[in-house]
Amino acid sequence: MEKLIIKGGKKLEGEVNISAAKNSVLPILAATILNGNNCTIENMPMLEDVFVICEVLKSLKANVIIDKLNNRVKINTANLFDNESNDELVRKMRASFLIMGPMLGRFGNFKISLPGGCNIGTRPIDLHLKGLSALGAEITVGHGYVEANAKKLIGSNIYLDYPSVGATENIMMAAALAEGETVIGNAAEEPEIVDLAMFLKAMGAQISGEGTDTIRILGVKDFKEVVHKPIYDRIEAGTFMITAAITKSLFKINGVNEVHLKPIIAKLTEMGVAVEINKNSIIVDGRKKLNPIDIKTMPYPGFPTDMQAQMMSLLCTVKGTSIITETVFENRFMQAVELKRMGANIKIDGRSAVIEGIDTFTGSEVKATDLRAGAALILAGLTAEGTTVIEDIYHIDRGYVSIEEKLKRLGADIERVSYCK
Ligand code: EPZ
């Protein structure tokens, strides 16, 4: 087991480089299933979740080369078996369910273990299945599995009840090899959807409207070799922006896309954080006194739910009353319990959290309950009086590449230590 030990109160300075987006590379790795030729993904973040989905692909007999030295992954799925996936691996990471659409698109049938829920919510897949059945798949769910069969996938008009990121991705990938045109209405508009579409189009897919609420996919017969460089991780960049604000520091963040960061820049600016954009970099100055604000998480381009926990930590240190409303997931305030161990004043009422600013967090022993809750605890530890020890940091490693190394380079007093439980 490993834990992080943070001595709070340090001012940070210098520069940090953002990695490529976890929520881009996971669907892109799944999409290689569609393509029997070589797929090369550059600037691959070496994250736990990336290794899991690569293991899932290997379990399906894909040829996967992970080049950690050059941050590159090369995949060839020419010899893919359309057998069932490895249950244990699929259950380990629910994003593995993103192989359903491409496997169905390529082989016309696939059986996979139902993805579990997780700490932040039940994470249903009804919209994924509704979309795949609209393409002509016969879906059966039972004994903890979901199976999809289709002699041929036929393009169709699908209107999503909710702009689900995963459902949009699964349908897009299945439709890429379907006969005719598929139109996805009320589609997710996240930058990661656009990045997946760019990857698919680079392979030869016919897609338009990505990034809007209506995406059109015209099925093709086959694909060609592709090399792709994913977009930067807007959530990692946002996490470091909040790092500057909560430690009252000024530093530079390299590897950002201003458009993708708009909702985060808007809310931090409203609080009094000064930001200066220079092409793919942003200088964040959190040294001024900040004001309390209200936050409501929404699908993109609204304020991202993946930034909610980190924002909660920041708002706990701002005098006055702030309210966070979490509209995307039903149980995404787990970090509040741990933040209260550090002295936070937070009242949870259903989907709302009322936060009264405190003078400072006090260092404590806390546990990461999920990926972004873990990031929120690091932020609190960086500004806390005394020492904070964070356990179960495997959650954090799923979405942040060597976060303690990046923070150390900025001047934080943070160490990763191994221990036996
Ligand atoms: C993706 O999850 C991200 N994960 C999540 O990031 C992110 O929080 C989420 O999108 C929202 O932006 C990856 O991309 C790997 P959804 P996903 O389907 O696709 C409901 C992180 O921290 N829903 O848009 O699972 C669902 O219950 C992770 O990096 C249905 O009801 O999100 C939720 O309330 C956490 N039926 C809402 O939609 C469905 O069939 C949003 O889910 C699917 C979803």
Side-chain angles (χ1 to χ4, degrees), residues 22-23 26-27 94-95 98 120 122-129 162-167 169 190 234 305-306 327-330 332 351 371-372:
K22 163 181 86 83
N23 291 347
L26 295 180
R94 51 180 320 289
L98 289 171
I120 66 175
T122 52
R123 315 294 292 274
I125 54 166
D126 57 308
L127 300 177
H128 297 242
L129 302 182
Y162 182 93
S164 155
V165 171
E169 291 166 342
E190 273 70 2
R234 61 192 168 102
T305 175
D306 292 349
T327 72
V328 178
F329 289 107
E330 69 268 25
R332 203 168 194 177
R351 295 262 183 143
L371 167 55
R372 307 301 175 184

Side-chain angles (χ1 to χ4, degrees), residues 88-117:
E88 193 203 327
L89 282 171
V90 169
R91 295 180 65 80
K92 193 172 174 186
M93 181 187 67
R94 51 180 320 289
S96 312
F97 191 66
L98 289 171
I99 67 173
M100 185 68 170
M103 286 299 285
L104 183 65
R106 175 142 174 212
F107 296 106
N109 72 342
F110 192 56
K111 184 178 177 185
I112 188 171
S113 165
L114 276 170

Side-chain angles (χ1 to χ4, degrees), residues 20-135:
K22 163 181 86 83
N23 291 347
S24 259
V25 296
L26 295 180
I28 285 172
L29 286 164
T32 62
I33 287 168
L34 294 164
N35 189 343
N37 302 294
N38 288 331
C39 299
T40 304
I41 297 122
E42 303 287 359
N43 198 25
M44 178 65 78
M46 294 299 158
L47 290 166
E48 216 28 61
D49 277 8
V50 165
F51 302 140
V52 171
I53 202 152
C54 284
E55 283 307 309
V56 170
L57 293 171
K58 281 183 190 165
S59 75
L60 295 168
K61 306 290 177 283
N63 181 8
V64 180
I65 299 167
I66 300 177
D67 173 357
K68 289 186 179 178
L69 205 62
N70 297 301
N71 283 335
R72 182 182 296 135
V73 167
K74 281 191 173 178
I75 294 180
N76 185 298
T77 60
N79 305 320
L80 215 57
F81 277 27
D82 62 339
N83 59 357
E84 294 170 26
S85 60
N86 173 318
D87 288 353
E88 193 203 327
L89 282 171
V90 169
R91 295 180 65 80
K92 193 172 174 186
M93 181 187 67
R94 51 180 320 289
S96 312
F97 191 66
L98 289 171
I99 67 173
M100 185 68 170
M103 286 299 285
L104 183 65
R106 175 142 174 212
F107 296 106
N109 72 342
F110 192 56
K111 184 178 177 185
I112 188 171
S113 165
L114 276 170
C118 70
N119 286 341
I120 66 175
T122 52
R123 315 294 292 274
I125 54 166
D126 57 308
L127 300 177
H128 297 242
L129 302 182
K130 189 175 159 189
L132 297 179
S133 60
L135 294 174

Side-chain angles (χ1 to χ4, degrees), residues 97 100 104 124-139 141 146 148 153-154 156-162 167 170-171 182 184-186:
F97 191 66
M100 185 68 170
L104 183 65
I125 54 166
D126 57 308
L127 300 177
H128 297 242
L129 302 182
K130 189 175 159 189
L132 297 179
S133 60
L135 294 174
E138 195 194 316
I139 306 280
V141 179
V146 58
L153 291 180
I154 311 286
S156 163
N157 282 344
I158 297 159
Y159 194 86
L160 292 176
D161 304 1
Y162 182 93
N170 247 330
I171 297 164
T182 297
I184 307 174
N186 197 24

Side-chain angles (χ1 to χ4, degrees), residues 4 16 47 236 239-240 243 371-372 374-376 378-379 382 393 396-397 399-410 412 414 416:
L4 288 173
V16 61
L47 290 166
E236 186 191 16
T239 305
F240 275 99
T243 301
L371 167 55
R372 307 301 175 184
I378 291 177
L379 294 171
L382 289 171
I393 60 171
I396 304 171
D397 293 334
Y400 292 94
V401 178
S402 319
I403 191 161
E404 78 278 6
E405 294 310 317
K406 293 189 178 185
L407 287 167
K408 254 194 246 179
R409 275 199 288 279
L410 287 169
I414 179 171
R416 177 187 290 254

